[in-house]
Amino acid sequence: MNQVWNYVNATSHKAARPFAGKGKRLSAFELDKLTAGATEFFDHIGSETIQRVNAEFATRRKQFKRTKLRWRVSQGAKRALGWIPFKAAQLKHKGKSLRFSGKAVRVFERELLERVTWKSGCFAQDAVGDWWLCLPVAREVQHGVAPKEVVGIDLGLKDTAATSDGDKLHAGHFYRSIEHKIAAAQRRGHKRQAKRLHRFAARRRKDALHKFSTRIVSDYQTIRIGDVSSLKLAKTRMGKSVFDAGWGMLKAQLQYKGQQAGRCVLIVSEKDTTRTCNDCKALTGPRGLAMLVVRTWVCSACGVTHDRDVNSARNIRSAGSLPPSVSGNESSPTVAEPSLT
Ligand SMILES: [Zn+2]
């Protein structure tokens, strides 16, 4: 896979930036023609697999808007994780196992694959070194009506998210709670064990995020999310904490799950949402990076005690329905375009 990828990478770069004349962006189809016949040099892996590599390359190149992508390195610390894509027809049921490229593949939880038609998928290796079979399958979308109307979600630093109904998600502590174990494993030179622990924490975090986003989508018809750009904040000194919180992942989950369930998911401007008191609309709340430590505050105008994140989530929920005169002149909350992050 790495050889094919790197060949395609080099070739399409050369075609895009020739010594003379106009550059040309090779499509996946053209790359297929250039790699035709290569399969016999690769243990007969199958031209379909090579074509899938080409297709993936073309997609990524478009996504990152570059003529050249990173090389797939086979050795050393920067080694690319194993990846073997295939088309649907290449993987077949055979008795108790699956058959791929002349080899029998036994999988755990085989019963999940019974009576299932898959599309093109891949075998992929994770950082620990275990191989996984990834098969996208079609599922029917079920559109129902959620029991509750609107929710505002504040994506925060300390708690990953807080809702306007006071529901909170704590997902940032999974790494920290086993940090000492990871450090101990690394000290003893147990690299694989350290990687396992990393995977364990990552899975727990992902699980928490999935449970939270599923709950929100099944409960609410309209979901409003503050438009924090994780990229923007990652550039500040809070970077590590931001990545720990997994905003991007949660936002993406809410968007695709919401879409599947027929919900209205809106990205709302977050301007002044932490500062505005949800009860009297006065700008009395804490502001600035230095004030992030403030978790609860009392409004000096009306005397109501606020949980910082819940108050801000409530402002996000009501954003757009706020009268402009109250929220200030230029800061009237507008619906922002969903960002790529
Ligand atoms: Zn107030």
Side-chain angles (χ1 to χ4, degrees):
M1 293 312 101
N2 296 355
Q3 278 191 52
V4 174
W5 179 275
N6 291 340
Y7 166 77
V8 163
N9 198 10
T11 311
S12 79
H13 182 59
K14 234 182 247 172
R17 302 260 170 85
F19 291 119
K22 229 179 138 214
K24 187 179 189 311
R25 189 159 280 222
L26 296 176
S27 67
F29 181 65
E30 283 162 313
L31 292 171
D32 288 351
K33 282 196 276 184
L34 289 170
T35 49
T39 174
E40 62 178 288
F41 301 104
F42 295 120
D43 265 344
H44 294 280
I45 190 81
S47 55
E48 289 104 328
T49 289
I50 291 176
Q51 284 165 12
R52 284 299 307 154
V53 175
N54 295 344
E56 181 74 14
F57 177 82
T59 313
R60 295 280 163 252
R61 191 186 51 189
K62 197 173 171 197
Q63 182 187 346
F64 296 115
K65 297 189 176 71
R66 303 175 75 161
T67 52
K68 195 174 165 190
L69 301 176
R70 271 169 57 187
W71 302 110
R72 284 184 66 87
V73 183
S74 302
Q75 303 286 327
K78 288 191 174 178
R79 196 179 76 91
L81 299 177
W83 168 62
I84 305 166
F86 53 77
K87 290 187 183 175
Q90 285 176 276
L91 187 76
K92 288 197 180 81
H93 277 295
K94 182 143 194 208
K96 285 187 175 180
S97 56
L98 297 167
R99 206 148 180 87
F100 173 73
S101 187
K103 293 177 179 65
V105 181
R106 294 189 66 186
V107 291
F108 293 105
E109 298 183 287
R110 180 166 49 87
E111 54 288 350
L112 289 178
L113 291 177
E114 263 151 39
R115 286 185 299 280
V116 160
T117 47
W118 51 74
K119 305 192 171 165
S120 52
C122 69
F123 293 100
Q125 200 183 21
D126 67 10
V128 178
D130 294 333
W131 282 87
W132 301 86
L133 173 61
C134 310
L135 283 178
V137 295
R139 278 182 65 187
E140 261 180 53
V141 174
Q142 284 167 344
H143 284 212
V145 177
K148 292 179 215 170
E149 199 94 355
V150 194
V151 70
I153 299 172
D154 174 64
L155 302 173
L157 290 165
K158 195 173 165 231
D159 314 303
T160 302
T163 75
S164 48
D165 288 344
D167 193 359
K168 281 190 177 183
L169 164 74
H170 303 267
H173 61 278
F174 295 121
Y175 281 101
R176 262 165 253 149
S177 64
I178 57 161
E179 225 164 31
H180 63 283
K181 279 191 189 170
I182 296 176
Q186 268 159 351
R187 262 199 313 277
R188 292 194 204 102
H190 297 166
K191 268 191 195 166
R192 209 176 143 83
Q193 180 62 17
K195 280 179 181 165
R196 261 183 209 291
L197 288 165
H198 265 292
R199 185 172 73 180
F200 177 66
R203 281 175 174 172
R204 287 183 70 193
R205 187 179 86 177
K206 216 171 171 183
D207 180 61
L209 295 181
H210 269 301
K211 280 179 180 152
F212 182 79
S213 56
T214 301
R215 195 164 70 226
I216 296 293
V217 168
S218 67
D219 279 3
Y220 299 95
Q221 196 61 37
T222 302
I223 300 157
R224 288 162 174 273
I225 318 168
D227 75 335
V228 212
S229 150
S230 35
L231 213 69
K232 205 161 58 193
L233 267 143
K235 280 178 187 158
T236 69
R237 58 210 148 87
M238 293 185 294
K240 197 186 171 209
S241 182
V242 173
F243 286 124
D244 220 15
W247 280 344
M249 212 191 270
L250 188 63
K251 213 156 115 181
Q253 284 176 5
L254 286 168
Q255 279 172 321
Y256 82 77
K257 287 182 188 177
Q259 195 187 16
Q260 280 173 5
R263 305 286 187 259
C264 176
V265 182
L266 294 168
I267 310 288
V268 177
S269 165
E270 232 195 5
K271 196 168 192 310
D272 288 335
T273 48
T274 38
R275 287 178 63 212
T276 311
C277 164
N278 189 249
D279 288 81
C280 70
K281 313 295 178 208
L283 294 175
T284 49
R287 65 183 302 184
L289 292 182
M291 296 306 278
L292 278 170
V293 281
V294 178
R295 303 322 304 175
T296 52
W297 54 280
V298 180
C299 173
S300 57
C302 68
V304 174
T305 310
H306 289 294
D307 177 292
R308 179 206 168 89
D309 300 326
V310 174
N311 174 64
S312 137
R314 285 188 182 145
N315 284 328
I316 288 169
R317 177 181 59 186
S318 51
S321 52
L322 273 180
S325 59
V326 170
S327 60
N329 31 27
E330 91 291 357
S331 67
S332 64
T334 45
V335 178
E337 285 285 308
S339 66
L340 281 172
T341 55

